[in-house]
Amino acid sequence: MLRRLSRNPILRRILSTFATLIGVAVFVFIMLRAIPGNQITAGLGTEAAALTPTQKAALEAYYGLDQPLVIQFFSWIGNLFTGNLGFSARAQESVLSLTAQSLPVTFELAIFSIVLALAIGIPLGMLSASRPDSPRDAFGQVVGLAGLSIPAFLLATTLLAVLASSFGYNPNGEGFAYFFDNPLLNLQQMMLPSIVLGFGIAAPIMRTTRTAVLEIRANDFVRTARAKGIPSRRLQFKHVLGNALVPIVTMTGLQFGYLLGGAVVVEQIFSVPGIGRQVLLGIQQKEYALVQSTVLVIALAFVIVNLLTDLLYRLIDPRVRAK
Amino acid sequence: MQGSTGARRTSFGIFSIATAVALTLTGCAVSNSPSTGNAGGGTLVVGVTSDPDTLFPWKATQFQSVNVLQNIYGTLTEFDTDLNVVPGLAESWETSEDGLSVTFALRQGVTYADGSTFGSEDVKFSLEAIMTEETAAVAASSLASVTAVDAPDENTVVLTLSAADAALPANLAVLNMAMLSSDDTEEALNTTPNGTGPFLFEERTASQSITLAKNDAYWGDTAKLDTVEFRVIPDESSIVSAMQGGNVQLAVFDDAVVAQTAETGNVTVEATPQLSYHALQLNATRGALTDVNVRLALQCSIDRQEVLDTAALGEGEITGPITSPAYRSDTSDRPCAERDLDKAADYLAKAGKSDGVTINTIVSQGEYSTSVNEAQNLKSQAAEAGITLDIEVLESGAFVDRWIAADFDAAVALNGGRPDPDGMYGRYFTSTGNLNQVAGYSSPELDELFAAGKQSSDPEERKEIYAQVSAELENNAAWIWLFTSYTYTATTSDVEGFTPMTNGSLQSLRTTSVN
């Protein structure tokens, strides 16, 4: 029975997803509690020293800290199955509704960044590959290296400072506009963070493209096609790029997953109320339920994106499908 | 190679589309922003780095929460901009001859945001709830001397005290003593504040912004602004660029360097000394520090001005224990007002520790920017006197845990100050004070002095008493007081009528206007 299950690729996938999520849940739960301090000291700071035992007990009961850890863990997991991700005492809102507001924002940011990164990375990679070890290749490599090595916070603060002090332009200084409330302002506010994030991801995409194009061009079928007199442009796009897409899609999917959780710095600097900032605030306030559930949501998103990437390259690459 | 031309052309095509889109968006933004900045002249946007962590006034200790809620809730007494106690919801108060009861005459015609009327039953309800331990109100200990709260009529409240308490009026002026409506519950107020202050709560988007609107029914002068929005911009330098972009009109910074970058064009920055103080806390119940001579040796080995100059770029003032303007300690009147290594050696010899001592010192990282630098400077200065400060750098949560448990020999700390010296130090340095374990020092002399300070209602006499408290603390090197820093209030040129206060309060938002 088990063996039959493990042979079914889809079932196997679901099982491993489930195992991953449980692992994440346990890990986050333990790590959070390993950090010194709790919600009471996070809120009251050193003032917490003045609490009498009765006051302290009252607060612990309010935050649910009076329960044993095992009970806390299982009541959290149990609640997850009913769609209850917990409650944020700071925001006075359920974690589910906070996540419903913040996840789409990060999702939007991630899509823009990826589009921008592809728009920079693929042409640049092809440019580099078109004549390896030439000045043009060096140019591509240098831009790629810059994208990898300039830290996001530096690029972000520089962009903000230069635009604001020289041109008085800073859409991110206004209150955040959700896309469906004010699309124009929303796009302006997403522009700078997308540029910063996109520039960072453009580098790995550029390098992947370069390597893939070089590899494929060395294949026999390209030589055959060229010999058959297929126009160079068509050859470049249909045959070479078409095949190079497989590793590019894999790399993009991976980066997209990281973006969902990794936009913390950029969201912080540009005041974008995404899921990265939600986690950060939760950690600062030691809001256990908020951090645990949000991290789990990010992990789930990561797994789903990976699954979609898999499906996508089955679609692109017939060889994978055949397996 | 022809093929590459195609690729290049395509990439340039994408580039130019991206550039065009970017330019279009930029163009729109530039034409957009002036109109959104200050429509109507009555909207002020205050840039803040974090969201209030609670909207419930009795539990609010976070700076941001206090600043926001102070504009919404009323207290029996208030501070004016010089931190003198002035009438608030109580129009006047009178202390009985023996000092054992205080009668408050309440202001009439005051209403809550929900329209209900403020009266003596609300005061009775609030004070009694604050004193109840299960409420976990942080100001409970300020009412320790209160044994009964009576409301003989609608506009009168009588507090019966176990002992005279001159600090009571000042203690009643803080937000944690807010007068709530007796119909309200903590649960309701967590989402919908209901106060008697100059502003009304309008709306909040968690972690993004909180907006207050002018309270037309306010008992005092009506606020000039129509609305105040506290906009959360987590990064201080992003607040600076938001001010330069014209989206934020007022912000308060802790960091001198950030404040400096803000001061351009139409943004002015004002430095205000603070009540909060930097100190090296010594735990006189542990190890070598139980000997007063070791503590004094350490004190004599420190040049405070050098700590201030190296750790905080000289931005601040050296200080004694009491930082409020009315009671300020004289920094020249202390043992080793100037650094004196010979004296330090004498004290060590007296303690029989001429070979040197080692003191474990905790310091937090990340809570405030100068902490680790202070510790390093203190360490190098003390080392020249043969005292080794063994520095343990802790994440701020871990620091708070250790601090609360008084699990340290010495601690580099930034503590909050209060206008009244009894409220500020009574809880630390009286033997029954609820922070005495953390302070690590008490003496019969101090107990007596603090009791006398509470008994006396004569300002001159109190000044004299707290000067003695200062002397007692420094002569015994209970702690080593270092310096107070500034906060920096940045305003754009269209903001008028805002007065920064040494307790960091934003209460003068009620007199502020935007042109």
Side-chain angles (χ1 to χ4, degrees):
Chain A
M1 172 72 185
L2 256 177
R3 197 182 291 161
R4 206 180 325 137
L5 266 182
S6 66
R7 256 191 242 127
N8 183 330
I10 293 171
L11 265 179
R12 210 165 53 191
R13 194 76 199 215
I14 289 174
L15 275 178
S16 75
T17 300
F18 205 69
T20 308
L21 290 180
I22 288 178
V24 169
V26 173
F27 183 73
V28 173
F29 186 88
I30 293 172
M31 288 310 286
L32 261 182
R33 277 150 186 86
I35 305 175
N38 57 30
Q39 203 158 358
I40 299 170
T41 51
L44 296 178
T46 50
E47 207 59 43
L51 293 175
T52 64
T54 318
Q55 287 179 319
K56 195 159 168 258
L59 282 174
E60 280 174 349
Y62 176 75
Y63 290 120
L65 302 173
D66 53 343
Q67 303 290 327
L69 284 186
V70 180
I71 306 263
Q72 287 186 38
F73 180 78
F74 284 104
S75 79
W76 168 53
I77 296 289
N79 283 333
L80 287 183
F81 285 103
T82 63
N84 175 2
L85 302 191
F87 187 78
S88 160
R90 181 186 57 82
Q92 289 291 314
E93 258 187 278
S94 72
V95 175
L96 186 66
S97 92
L98 286 175
T99 306
Q101 288 163 41
S102 64
L103 190 60
V105 172
T106 302
F107 198 69
E108 186 191 353
L109 183 60
I111 288 182
F112 285 160
S113 309
I114 286 287
V115 169
L116 209 72
L118 290 174
I120 300 172
I122 294 183
L124 211 58
M126 291 180 70
L127 187 75
S128 274
S130 67
R131 205 177 288 165
D133 301 324
S134 68
R136 153 196 311 183
D137 185 22
F139 168 77
Q141 300 272 21
V142 165
V143 175
L145 198 66
L148 277 181
S149 54
I150 297 177
F153 80 89
L154 186 67
L155 186 60
T157 41
T158 310
L159 265 181
L160 256 187
V162 169
L163 287 176
S165 61
S166 311
F167 304 101
Y169 173 69
N170 178 9
N172 298 86
E174 289 183 57
F176 184 77
Y178 289 93
F179 185 79
F180 292 103
D181 296 338
N182 186 347
L184 195 65
L185 183 57
N186 174 273
L187 290 179
Q188 291 175 37
Q189 292 183 330
M190 283 298 183
M191 185 173 66
L192 294 177
S194 304
I195 289 175
V196 172
L197 280 177
F199 189 57
I201 315 165
I205 289 180
M206 175 262 161
R207 292 183 158 207
T208 312
T209 308
R210 180 178 178 277
T211 315
V213 167
L214 284 178
E215 255 173 35
I216 286 159
R217 260 219 319 260
N219 274 334
D220 287 344
F221 76 91
V222 178
R223 222 175 306 140
T224 316
R226 190 169 290 140
K228 273 164 55 185
I230 292 179
S232 169
R233 195 150 172 198
R234 198 164 151 225
L235 180 82
Q236 196 73 17
F237 280 93
K238 183 147 191 283
H239 295 270
V240 178
L241 188 59
N243 284 295
L245 271 183
V246 178
I248 297 175
V249 164
T250 316
M251 176 54 87
T252 308
L254 213 59
Q255 294 294 335
F256 191 85
Y258 283 126
L259 270 182
L260 283 179
V264 180
V265 173
V266 166
E267 287 179 356
Q268 183 82 346
I269 292 175
F270 290 103
S271 320
V272 175
I275 201 140
R277 216 174 112 190
Q278 180 171 316
V279 175
L280 193 66
L281 262 174
I283 293 174
Q284 280 167 358
Q285 300 287 342
K286 304 275 187 314
E287 291 210 81
Y288 295 148
L290 180 73
V291 180
Q292 285 162 195
S293 301
T294 310
V295 168
L296 215 54
V297 168
I298 293 174
L300 185 67
F302 193 97
V303 171
I304 291 176
V305 168
N306 266 331
L307 196 69
L308 290 179
T309 316
D310 257 17
L311 291 178
L312 194 63
Y313 81 59
R314 267 160 209 270
L315 223 66
I316 300 173
D317 192 345
R319 285 168 303 181
V320 183
R321 234 176 318 173
K323 284 179 202 163
Chain B
M1 283 252 280
Q2 278 181 330
S4 61
T5 327
R8 194 167 51 197
R9 206 175 291 149
T10 316
S11 66
F12 283 137
I14 293 170
F15 270 128
S16 43
I17 291 170
T19 317
V21 170
L23 285 177
T24 318
L25 291 174
T26 317
C28 296
V30 171
S31 61
N32 240 353
S33 48
S35 60
T36 48
N38 47 13
T43 297
L44 179 77
V45 180
V46 182
V48 296
T49 49
S50 65
D51 202 21
D53 63 349
T54 176
L55 292 182
F56 188 63
W58 294 345
K59 282 183 187 153
T61 55
Q62 182 214 29
F63 206 58
Q64 222 52 261
S65 311
V66 172
N67 273 339
V68 170
L69 295 174
Q70 205 164 40
N71 291 291
I72 301 176
Y73 286 98
T75 43
L76 286 177
T77 60
E78 290 182 2
F79 293 118
D80 64 11
T81 46
D82 299 321
L83 299 184
N84 299 308
V85 180
V86 295
L89 290 172
E91 225 161 18
S92 64
W93 53 93
E94 209 172 309
T95 311
S96 66
E97 207 127 301
D98 58 2
L100 294 180
S101 81
V102 188
T103 307
F104 292 86
L106 304 183
R107 206 172 286 278
Q108 298 183 29
V110 176
T111 53
Y112 283 97
D114 68 1
S116 61
T117 311
F118 164 76
S120 56
E121 80 281 11
D122 300 311
V123 177
K124 186 174 160 62
F125 159 79
S126 298
L127 293 180
E128 284 177 348
I130 290 171
M131 288 189 287
T132 307
E133 289 202 322
E134 281 74 16
T135 314
V138 291
S141 62
S142 301
L143 296 177
S145 59
V146 177
T147 52
V149 185
D150 294 299
D153 67 61
E154 178 64 5
N155 304 306
T156 310
V157 170
V158 181
L159 302 188
T160 309
L161 310 180
S162 55
D165 189 354
L168 189 64
N171 282 340
L172 288 171
V174 297
L175 171 79
N176 299 136
M177 286 286 187
M179 292 298 122
L180 308 186
S181 160
S182 53
D183 303 329
D184 266 318
T185 61
E186 178 174 350
E187 204 179 12
L189 295 178
N190 269 333
T191 49
T192 323
N194 179 30
T196 58
F199 289 94
L200 306 169
F201 172 80
E202 192 167 85
E203 68 168 331
R204 173 191 197 199
T205 311
S207 83
Q208 289 184 52
S209 74
I210 183 159
T211 307
L212 315 184
K214 161 168 77 179
N215 178 4
D216 286 314
Y218 182 56
W219 55 264
D221 293 332
T222 317
K224 294 191 169 126
L225 296 165
D226 294 323
T227 58
V228 182
E229 182 191 336
F230 294 87
R231 186 173 297 157
V232 182
I233 300 175
D235 186 71
E236 281 203 342
S237 51
S238 301
I239 297 186
V240 171
S241 50
M243 290 190 87
Q244 285 163 346
N247 297 313
V248 168
Q249 286 89 41
L250 191 152
V252 181
F253 302 112
D254 295 324
D255 191 330
V257 180
V258 175
Q260 234 163 33
T261 63
E263 198 156 31
T264 49
N266 71 338
V267 179
T268 47
V269 175
E270 191 181 338
T272 316
Q274 292 300 295
L275 290 182
S276 53
Y277 56 94
H278 298 253
L280 179 64
Q281 270 182 259
L282 305 178
N283 190 343
T285 63
R286 300 230 308 204
L289 289 175
T290 48
D291 188 335
V292 64
N293 289 307
V294 174
R295 301 200 300 271
L296 283 167
L298 183 53
Q299 193 187 58
C300 286
S301 73
I302 304 296
D303 178 348
R304 286 131 163 130
Q305 188 64 44
E306 189 187 313
V307 182
L308 172 59
D309 288 344
T310 54
L313 309 168
E315 291 280 323
E317 289 161 15
I318 60 169
T319 188
I322 301 175
T323 53
S324 65
Y327 296 93
R328 200 169 171 84
S329 307
D330 179 0
T331 52
S332 61
D333 184 23
R334 62 178 15 156
C336 299
E338 302 287 324
R339 185 178 193 227
D340 191 337
L341 286 180
D342 293 337
K343 258 194 179 162
D346 289 347
Y347 280 124
L348 274 188
K350 248 197 232 174
K353 303 268 185 192
S354 292
D355 299 341
V357 286
T358 300
I359 296 163
N360 294 317
T361 308
I362 59 169
V363 54
S364 78
Q365 185 164 47
E367 201 189 358
Y368 55 103
S369 58
T370 54
S371 55
V372 177
N373 295 343
E374 283 173 45
Q376 279 162 352
N377 185 261
L378 289 168
K379 181 188 168 95
S380 72
Q381 291 201 50
E384 288 174 37
I387 301 171
T388 311
L389 294 186
D390 222 346
I391 306 241
E392 196 179 346
V393 181
L394 300 168
E395 181 266 333
S396 61
F399 177 85
V400 171
D401 272 6
R402 293 273 298 274
W403 192 88
I404 287 174
D407 182 14
F408 58 85
D409 293 343
V412 179
L414 168 61
N415 286 348
R418 296 192 186 180
D420 189 273
D422 181 72
M424 186 157 164
Y425 287 118
R427 56 205 197 127
Y428 280 119
F429 293 115
T430 54
S431 50
T432 53
N434 54 9
L435 290 176
N436 185 246
Q437 192 204 352
V438 176
Y441 185 81
S442 65
S443 67
E445 292 81 9
L446 280 172
D447 283 353
E448 234 164 76
L449 284 170
F450 276 106
K454 274 187 124 168
Q455 286 280 348
S456 170
S457 51
D458 174 33
E460 283 310 309
E461 198 178 288
R462 291 193 86 209
K463 225 178 242 185
E464 175 51 34
I465 292 170
Y466 290 111
Q468 288 178 46
V469 167
S470 269
E472 191 70 22
L473 288 171
E474 296 213 280
N475 290 337
N476 289 293
W479 294 351
I480 298 168
W481 279 267
L482 301 170
F483 63 94
T484 54
S485 22
Y486 300 124
T487 58
Y488 304 86
T489 309
T491 46
T492 51
S493 56
D494 47 359
V495 176
E496 258 174 39
F498 183 81
T499 316
M501 286 169 64
T502 52
N503 63 349
S505 164
L506 297 185
Q507 75 179 38
S508 70
L509 283 179
R510 61 181 84 165
T511 58
T512 304
S513 62
V514 179
N515 297 312

